[in-house]
């Protein structure tokens, strides 16, 4: 269980995160999303004991990370795949970590096999690894202590499509066995495919959180016109709410028929009109983190009410 309560972090006059609260339960994958500079990395570093909060708390299993005995046996962390000694081989890096954690050396071979680095890649120096191989080694390091919790920042960077599919299965299997996964990634489709819960942060504040099923449920329409201002005015006149969508489009809180009728009545020519849902997480992400997004936290229930 990961619990973040009213976490705030300041760097001098700069407010990096403000009053951030969320939790990640065992048996689930939580997608932690936000644009660059939103406060994701600061929050993850606070959870992992690398950054001391100005106020608030972050705990794993009810205890701050720094107070966990032999933390690697409880929490597997991957925040930077490049943070490995480039002169060591993959096997040497894992063997050293196994000695520190008190893990049997046989576990090294197990995780190397698990992440696809067994055999020749294990004897290759880390400095010669591709980015994808470094990510696999980082995942092996996180899994080495057989932890109950995984905290991963952009673990799919550098992985090819097969590698991303493999990682999705690895995380899903870990959670299905009762593990807790906190996953930060800019690959929204992959997060949508694996996450049970979503937490969205923007400007250092949580702007939405809830189950993926609830947050991504869509009853609206994606609509796009050459004259976006005229389209917005037409929808407003018809009493239809809308938020920014993809490719300069809008996600309207109404069926396609009602949206089309409103546009036709106002004489607005449409370039695209279809049910929302093909890119549900991207649409949600842009609506919550774009320039016109509000700053008040949103729950799954509130999103559903606005769509009703």
């Amino acid at each position: 269980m990961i619990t973040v309560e009213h976490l705030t972090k300041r760097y001098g006059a700069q407010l990096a995160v403000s009053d951030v609260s969320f939790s990640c339960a065992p048996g689930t994958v939580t997608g932690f999303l936000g644009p660059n500079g939103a406060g994701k990395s600061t929050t993850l570093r606070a959870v992992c004991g690398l950054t001391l909060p100005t106020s608030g708390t972050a705990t794993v299993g009810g205890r701050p990370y720094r107070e966990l005995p032999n933390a690697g046996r409880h929490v597997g962390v991957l925040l930077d795949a490049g943070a490995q000694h480039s002169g060591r081989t993959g096997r040497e890096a894992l063997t050293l970590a196994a000695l520190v954690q008190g893990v049997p050396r046989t576990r090294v071979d197990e995780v190397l096999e698990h992440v696809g680095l067994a055999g020749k890649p294990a004897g290759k120096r880390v400095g010669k690894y591709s980015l994808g191989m470094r990510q696999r080694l980082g995942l092996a390091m996180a899994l080495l202590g057989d932890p109950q919790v995984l905290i991963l920042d952009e673990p799919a960077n550098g992985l090819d499509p097969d590698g991303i599919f493999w990682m999705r299965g690895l995380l899903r299997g870990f959670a299905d066995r009762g593990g807790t996964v906190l996953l930060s990634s800019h690959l929204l489709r992959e997060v949508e495919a694996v996450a049970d819960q979503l937490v969205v942060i923007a400007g250092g504040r949580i702007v939405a959180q809830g189950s993926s099923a609830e947050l991504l449920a869509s009853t609206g329409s994606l609509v796009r016109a050459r004259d976006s201002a005229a389209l917005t005015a037409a929808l407003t006149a018809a009493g239809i709410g809308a938020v920014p969508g993809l490719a300069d489009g809008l996600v309207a809180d109404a069926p396609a028929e009602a949206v089309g009728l409103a546009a036709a009545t106002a004489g607005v020519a449409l370039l695209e009109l279809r049910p929302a849902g093909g890119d549900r997480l991207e649409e949600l992400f842009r609506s919550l983190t774009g320039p016109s997004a509000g700053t008040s936290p949103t729950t799954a229930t509130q999103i559903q009410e606005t769509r009703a």
Side-chain angles (χ1 to χ4, degrees), residues 100-302:
V100 171
Q101 295 181 22
V103 175
R105 291 197 180 192
T106 54
R107 179 64 178 162
V108 173
D109 291 323
E110 291 176 6
V111 294
L112 283 169
E113 182 71 32
H114 194 40
V115 303
L117 291 178
K120 187 176 180 180
K124 191 174 182 179
R125 296 193 184 279
V126 175
K128 300 295 184 180
Y129 275 13
S130 66
L131 177 56
M133 293 175 71
R134 286 175 183 259
Q135 292 287 13
R136 288 175 180 268
L137 180 62
L139 285 167
M141 193 71 72
L143 294 168
L144 184 64
D146 196 20
Q148 297 83 46
V149 175
L150 289 178
I151 299 174
L152 310 174
D153 190 9
E154 302 290 358
N157 274 359
L159 295 180
D160 59 21
D162 286 341
I164 292 174
F165 182 80
W166 160 81
M167 185 195 69
R168 185 195 307 169
L170 183 150
L171 298 183
R172 186 69 267 163
F174 184 89
D176 289 346
R177 292 189 296 273
T180 303
V181 181
L182 176 56
L183 167 68
S184 173
S185 176
H186 68 280
L187 298 178
L188 299 184
R189 290 181 184 272
E190 293 309 313
V191 173
E192 184 173 351
V194 74
D196 305 292
Q197 303 287 322
L198 295 172
V199 177
V200 185
I201 187 171
R205 297 176 181 271
I206 300 298
V207 294
Q209 60 179 304
S211 75
S212 299
E214 292 175 316
L215 288 174
L216 300 180
S218 177
T219 58
S221 304
L222 180 64
V223 59
R224 189 164 58 92
R226 182 170 285 107
D227 189 340
S228 297
L231 174 60
T232 300
L235 294 176
T236 300
I240 298 173
V243 295
L246 305 178
D248 299 321
L250 298 172
V251 179
D253 298 326
E257 180 180 0
V259 173
L261 180 60
T265 300
V268 178
L270 299 181
L271 300 177
E272 183 179 10
L273 176 60
R274 61 177 173 82
D279 301 286
R280 296 179 300 169
L281 183 52
E282 189 167 353
E283 290 164 3
L284 175 70
F285 182 84
R286 290 191 60 179
S287 70
L288 292 171
T289 64
S292 61
T295 58
S296 299
T298 304
T299 66
T301 301
Q302 289 171 318

